[in-house]
Each structure stands twice: as structure tokens, then as C-alpha cells.
Amino acid sequence: MELPAEQEPLPLTVAVRALCAFTAKAGDLDVRFTPAPTALEGIEGHAVVASRRGTGYQKEIALSGRHGELLVRGRADGFDPDKGRLEEIKTHRGASALARQPANHRALHWAQAMVYGWLLCARDGLEQLELALVYYDIGSRQETVFTQTLDAEALRLHFVQRCDAYIAWARLEQAHRRTRDAALAVLRFPHADFRTGQRPLAEAVFKVARAGRPLMAQAPTGIGKTIGTVFPLLRAMPGQQIDRVFFLTAKTSGRALALDAVATLRRAEPDLPLRALELVAREKACEHPDKACHGESCPLAEGFYDRLPAAREAVLAVPVWHREGVRRVALAHSVCPYYLGQELAHWSDLVIGDYNHFFDLSAMLHALTQLNGWRVALLLDEAHNLVDRARLMHTGELDQLSVRGLRHTVPKALHKPLDKLNRVWKALNASESNDGADNTYRVLPTLPEELMTAVQQAATAVLDHLAVYPTTVDAALQGFLFDALHLGKLAESFGAHSLCDLTPSRDGRTSVLCLRNVVPAPFLGPRWAVAHTATLFSATLQPLAFHRELLGLPEQTAWIDVESPFERRQLDIHIARDISTRWQHRDASVAPIAALIAAQYTERPGNYLAFFSSFDYLDRVAVAFEAAHPDMPVWRQSRRMSEPEQAAFLARFAAGGRGVGFAVLGGAFAEGIDLPGDRLIGAFIATLGLPQVNPVNEQIRRRLDALVSRDTGSGFDCAYLFPGVQKVVQAAGRVIRTPEDRGVVHLIDDRFAGAQVQALMPRWWGLESEPAADSAE
Ligand code: SF4
């Protein structure tokens, strides 16, 4: 790969925090639950400290300075001109946590204060400066202040030392960036030609990257969406100065497709200087699940930052950092593979991870993007999952029963706050019951402030306890803490987009408190704004307005409905208009559905999948089918199948095989599986896939009715119809996988004949919309 002609060093810019994070971290990794205040509490803490200072106190002072080609900039928390003191303010919760703060955390804070100190000395020509670390306890509202006075020259030397360490690395990075961009600017499509639909998709991705807009791309299976989106975005990187591409998926299978796409590019261009990283979840990467993530507990956390540079260099020697490769290097250098993966995100061009990595409340890739000012581009695979996944990320719950259970296992010191929490909770249950409906699910009109306070107080007590006993690994206690802190964060931004509800236990003595997100748009909107461009792609993104509104995508989001490579004649579609799968007609539907499956199988023996809305419905039809047709092979999906069991289920769909697999809509076999040719020749889909009507879904329907614009749809459409039909289309999409496939789909319910439902089906199915005899509702 040739280097570009221009070899002058480009100017480098770094934020003070990022500079120190890179150059001043040493010692153990320590990510134990510390009494971390929420973001809002942090802001309020800073404001309280500032309000206690004199009138001349300066807040948020923008400072910058150069060393060689490196520009360092940031905002110092405060300067007290009366005392001549520059302050770095940190908020915390609980005195014991501060007392046990790891030395390397304190050293990092000092490093930041010293860099700001030099920038201020240089700006104002100071010869000496007092520096202060101000630790503000948001519980007691007390400050603990550490100070030191340093000469300007000492601060300058410290600054130069940091900058030199950073520049050495940054130059290597700059060289990689030049080489990468030169290669990507002339990157060729790795196949001889584009498939049908693949070129317009690639062009659309390239155009929105140039325009800096999001794109929703509905593109059928089989056109090569992954390479059709990865390739144009990589091509756009140099021109748009995109620092990183994040390929985000809902499932592990999506990550494998992205890694395949990288492998395909690399086969065509073996020297492609592109660093691709696979990020995995902690539970999949952790080598010591029985330990906690700090040096006192886990050997791979001890001395992590001391060994990190060598591990990082070893990884950089290979271009693709997939899970196994990262693990090998990590273990060879005795560092944690999970946290090594996180560190590598700094140095990757293409990061392949989960939606959570960019969208959840503490998303690592989002935080890094903001901290480093990266220009990033997002690719979201199987994006029809994002509404549900985003709701889950922004939903939290706490079960009173498990809180009561803690009382028997935790040390005495924690009894008092847990008892108080239970008392407040009990009173809330009783007061709600007195309001009328007893022992029923209910939505609270506002956040239960007293209960939320008691939850946070109990969480603080647990945090303090863990700070004193850092090697404690009590899964139940950790689980409570995680849930309580998550609820606290959600409470900060609680609003109409979410429900606060109580679900009583069967005996009515306890309840589950839930902050349940319904419309994730307010959470996701700011995330789209951070990204230069984003492409959301899936085979089922209809209706556009539903996804755009619920995901908070901006108005200027582009849309493309990519032509299918498949033809109408490849797929026979039958609508069983004489069968109703409505709840009240389920019993009557069982025998006709079994007969329909048998008739199709007899007419054309082969492999089929029959989908149902629930395991209960699946079992009833499967039992009837097996009783009436014992000669026809049947295999059933069961609840909570392990990965080997799922693989065995799929292995039954051998080429040339015969039998009927019974599965649930929305389950493991209804999406993301590929059974081309005669491995699958038909599907039966019973019900419209509508979610169950229950009190929670009804509340969601009402809330959507109130919040979503009429142009998008009614509450029923958004809560039931759209998600249901999406599952149907996904399941039916298992049948035709290549332009050579032939197959049949039986849509079993009279409502499939309705115009509103048919409008949500893929265009290439060519369904003739008929006047709706019955609404889907
Ligand atoms: S190996 Fe596991 S316990 Fe140890 S630091 Fe890594 S994630 Fe934490």
C-alpha cells in the first residue's frame, strides 16, 4: 500500500482529560462500584462548591496550550483569584469511599490539575500556583480539600512529559491514519459486481455520509447488506474525515456478519490497513466471573495499566482484533481481555459491537466519542430491533421480594437502610391499594419520591459497605446495587416517555417497581446528534414514520426501500381467510391449522417451519398435528433452549430433509437464521404476531396514543400491529434466501387479507390489497 505524498505532520489536538487518561494511568484497574454520583448530582455538586466561593471565583475556565504540534485544551473547574488557587472538583458519595480511593485514581486527578495549572500559568504569566483537589460529598455536602503549591517550571515539565508521551503515540496513529485513508480512498468493491439492490444501497450510504445525515434503509435479505453498507462507509471515511465506524448489532450473528465482511475486504486487499475490533459483553469475556474488577480481587486487574502498553503493542501487530485474538494477547500479558477490548476501542477504525455500546445510559463508545471529539459513523444492523432494545436499555426495575431476601444474607450494618426501604415500600403498596383496585398492576401518576430516596439511601449504604470490604462478591447485593443505581439514573430523566408502575406479587405483600420506557426518542435523539452519519438497515423497517418517531431520528433522515433481488414467482403466498387466530377463536383454530400444515406437506414434502405467537399455542397445534399425522416428522422449539439445543434444532433442516419445525414468532428461529435452498421450502404463520393484551401493554398503548403523532399511527398500531406484523415478515423471510429458492408461505388468519396489514408487507410479495373486511384491532 503506497503512502500518500503529503507527509507533513498534521496538527494534533487532545483534551486535557484524554491526555491524562492516556499518559497518567498506572497500577491496577479498579472499576468496583464506587459511590458515584449521577451526572445531575455531579453538576449540582460543582455548582454548590462554586457558590461557596467568593464573588470573583471563575468557573469553567477555557484553557489551551501547545507543545510542539500538539494542542491541549480543556476547561478547568474553577479558579479562586483571592487565594490564587486552581481547583479541580470531584464529586463523590460517602466518606469511606474517599478514604479508600485507590492511589492511582488520586494520581490521575492530580495529573489533570497539574496540566490545567500549567496552562493557567502560561496564560497569565504566573510563577507559582496553588492547586487543589476538592472532593465534594453529595451526601454530607462536605468538602475534603487536598492542596499543593507548585512552581510554574515544575508544572511545565510535567506538561511536557505528558505531551511527549502522547505525541510519540499520536504520531504513530497519525501515520496509520494517513495510510488508512489513502487505502480507503481507492478501496475497490471486493466482488466482481454488485447484486441487485446492493448498488443503490451502497450509493445511499455513501451519499448520507457525505451529507452528514442519517439513513433508514429497508433492504431485503440476500442482497449482501453488510458489505453493501460497510464498503461505502469505509470509502467515505477519508473524504469526510470520519475517525471511526461503529457497526452495532442486536445479536451475535450480526457481529459475525460484520467480521465476515472485513474478511472479504481483506481477501481482496490483503494489506488493507484497517483495524477492526470485535467488542463483546463482559460476561462473555470475563476470565474470572467469581471475582470483582479490581486489583484486590482479580489477578488480571492487578497492575493492568502497567502491562497495558505492551499488550496494546502486541495487538497492534495484527489488523483484526476479534474476540479470540484479543483474549490470547490479553492472557499472554496477564491483563483482563474485556477491559483490553475497551482500551482498544481508542485505536480501532471499525468497532463491531452491540447497540448498547453506543446507546445505553453509560455507553462506552458514546462516552469515548464525546471525550475525544471523534467524528463517528454508525451502521445499525437489523435495526427493526432498536425500538425494543432501546426501551430495555432505558427501563429499570427493583423487586421488593429480592430486597427483603437480602435482609437474611447481608451484614448487620445494612439492615437499617434495607428495613427503611421495606417500610416505605410497604406503605406505598398499602396506600395504592387503598386507592381502589386492590392487588393489581397500576401506573403511578408521579415518581414515588419517598421510595426513590429510600432506594438511593440503601444503595449508598451498600456502596459504603463495598468500599470497606472490597473483596466482597455477593451476587445478590451487587444485583441490588446495579438495579438501584440504574433506577436512580432513570429517575433523573423521568418524563412522559416512560411509565412508573407497580406490579404486585400474587399474594399482594410485595411489588416490583419499574420505570418503563415506552418512547426511547428523548434518549436516542442526542445520540444521533453526536454521530456524523448513521445508517439503520433491516429487511423490515416499515412503517418508516413509526421507527423514525420512536427512535428520535431527525426530520432530515433519508429513506431508501431497496429493490428485492427476489421475484414474486419464487414465493407462493396463501392467506387462510377461513381461520381466525383471535384469542377467543384459538380452540377452534387448532385442528384447521394442523390440517393445513398436513395438506401442504403432503402436496410437497420437505422442510417447513410453523410459527405461533406463544409456546402454549405452538404446543396445542403440535400435539394435534402429531396425533393426526404420526408419520410426519415434527420437532419443536422449547422454552429456554441452550445454544447446543438451538444448533440441533437447526441441524434438522438438512438439504433434502423432510419435516415440520414448530417455533415461536419473534424467537430464535424467526430471525437471523439462514436456511437456503431446500433446507426450508415453506412457512406457516399463525396469528398476526400481536403482543399479548395485558395491563402493561394496554398502558403502553395508551401512552403511545397520547404521545405519537396521528400520521404515524394509533396507540394500537404502535403497540400491537406494527411490532406484530414486523415479526410475521421476519419469520416469512426465512423461506426465500437466494434468487434460486422457491417456497410457500401460509399466512393463517383472516386479518392478513386487510389492506392495512398488507400495506406493511414487502412490496415484492405483490399482495393485492383488498378492502379490509375486519380491522386488525
Ligand atoms: S477478568 Fe473478569 S473479574 Fe477480572 S477484571 Fe476482567 S472482567 Fe473483571
Side-chain angles (χ1 to χ4, degrees), residues 29 282 286-288 291-293 298 300-301 336 338-339:
L29 173 84
R282 181 185 176 279
C286 177
E287 292 288 321
H288 296 287
K291 299 198 171 12
C293 302
C298 178
L300 299 182
C336 166
Y338 172 66
Y339 287 104

